[in-house]
Amino acid sequence: MGKEVWKAGNMLNPVPAVMVSVADKEGNANILTVAWAGTICTNPPMLSISVRPERYSYHMIKETNEFVVNLTTKDLVKETDFCGVKSGKDVDKFKELGLTKSKMEHVSAPGIAESPVNIECKVRKVEELGSHHMFIADVVGVVVDDKYFDETNRFHINDTNLIMYSHGEYFALGEKLGKFGYSIKKNKKVVSKKNKKSKNNKINKTKK
């Protein structure tokens, strides 16, 4: 069994499929689905989205320098696909899909209430790379759905049923395989109750 050499192409998969909500200066809102999105910095918090200039929402982002990244879930997969294949020139996606506009704290663009996480962004820089222009943005606020909090006020993002996109197809996240750092974590030696009792007896005999 061997490997086949292909010409250069973007084969980085899977990637998040996010719904990006935008609005122009008159308040006309739209949603576009973006697969080229990613984290680029922790401190300050920053992310990027790459958009084709011919897309309807492109001019809205250029005009306002704002957008909201809305994470997508299994319950939103059809809406995610719809917003990727339909243009805001032809249809009001919020109305057509029955999605709710959510007022954000730091940007004028609306969030999508049905999304468990809304990430408010302000554009810092635009890189005109080729087929896509990359909007490098500062994360200025995050809104999360409180139904995914536990009694200790911890947010369980992996309970939201996030989806991913791979080579033209959508997938739900699979089974948990580990957590950060598990590969180097030392296993604690488990002492059975029987051995523990025997050990305690030896200690007591020594004291006598």
Side-chain angles (χ1 to χ4, degrees), residues 41-42 44-47 64-69 104-109 118-124 136-143:
C41 190
T42 300
M46 297 176 68
L47 58 74
T64 63
N65 285 317
E66 295 179 347
F67 59 88
V68 179
V69 171
M104 297 288 97
E105 292 289 325
H106 304 93
V107 298
S108 57
N118 315 110
I119 307 170
E120 301 173 84
C121 301
K122 289 192 175 182
V123 177
R124 179 187 289 204
I136 297 171
D138 292 294
V139 174
V140 294
V142 179
V143 179

Side-chain angles (χ1 to χ4, degrees), residues 190-200:
V190 179
V191 180
S192 67
K193 288 183 179 179
K194 185 177 178 181
N195 289 338
K196 192 174 181 181
K197 187 177 180 181
S198 175
K199 187 177 180 181
N200 287 335

Side-chain angles (χ1 to χ4, degrees), residues 15-99:
V15 292
V18 298
M19 290 193 288
V20 176
S21 47
V22 298
D24 61 20
K25 288 184 177 179
E26 284 71 48
N28 300 305
N30 190 45
I31 308 168
L32 71 155
T33 299
V34 174
W36 306 150
T39 298
I40 56 175
C41 190
T42 300
N43 188 21
M46 297 176 68
L47 58 74
S48 71
I49 61 171
S50 293
V51 182
R52 290 180 181 271
E54 59 267 27
R55 293 194 71 172
Y56 178 71
S57 295
Y58 178 87
H59 80 277
M60 295 184 179
I61 304 173
K62 286 279 283 187
E63 183 180 284
T64 63
N65 285 317
E66 295 179 347
F67 59 88
V68 179
V69 171
N70 306 275
L71 299 193
T72 54
T73 65
K74 191 175 180 179
D75 290 339
L76 289 170
V77 66
K78 286 186 178 179
E79 290 83 351
T80 302
D81 185 63
F82 185 94
C83 291
V85 296
K86 290 289 186 178
S87 173
K89 288 185 294 186
D90 307 317
V91 61
D92 181 337
K93 297 178 188 178
F94 276 100
K95 185 177 180 180
E96 182 73 18
L97 296 170
L99 295 173

